[in-house]
Amino acid sequence: MLEGTKSMGAGAATIASAGAAVGIGNVFSSLIHSVARNPSLAKQLFGYAILGFALTEAIALFALMMAFLILFVF
């Protein structure tokens, strides 16, 4: 019974990975649109896109950490 609830909890915690994937797609989609509108700002916009990517990816890593905590610690 406990193993089943651990698996369900870990599965629910990894749902955030799908949200992070959508967020990363939005970040780079916005980068492409922005560079198409104003190519002279490409270098500055790329820096902002990498920052957005890193922050969005951190959410996925936190979700993965929570899934591992649920499975192996509690």
Side-chain angles (χ1 to χ4, degrees):
M1 175 89 178
L2 185 60
E3 284 297 317
T5 56
K6 280 184 177 183
S7 296
M8 288 182 358
T14 57
I15 291 175
S17 298
V22 170
I24 291 170
N26 283 338
V27 165
F28 287 107
S29 171
S30 297
L31 173 67
I32 291 169
H33 286 286
S34 300
V35 170
R37 283 181 171 259
N38 195 351
S40 65
L41 289 177
K43 190 168 190 138
Q44 183 181 7
L45 290 172
F46 184 73
Y48 291 144
I50 293 299
L51 178 65
F53 167 76
L55 294 174
T56 307
E57 187 66 25
I59 299 295
L61 292 175
F62 290 144
L64 185 66
M65 179 187 66
M66 290 307 298
F68 284 144
L69 282 173
I70 290 170
L71 279 177
F72 299 117
V73 175
F74 297 115

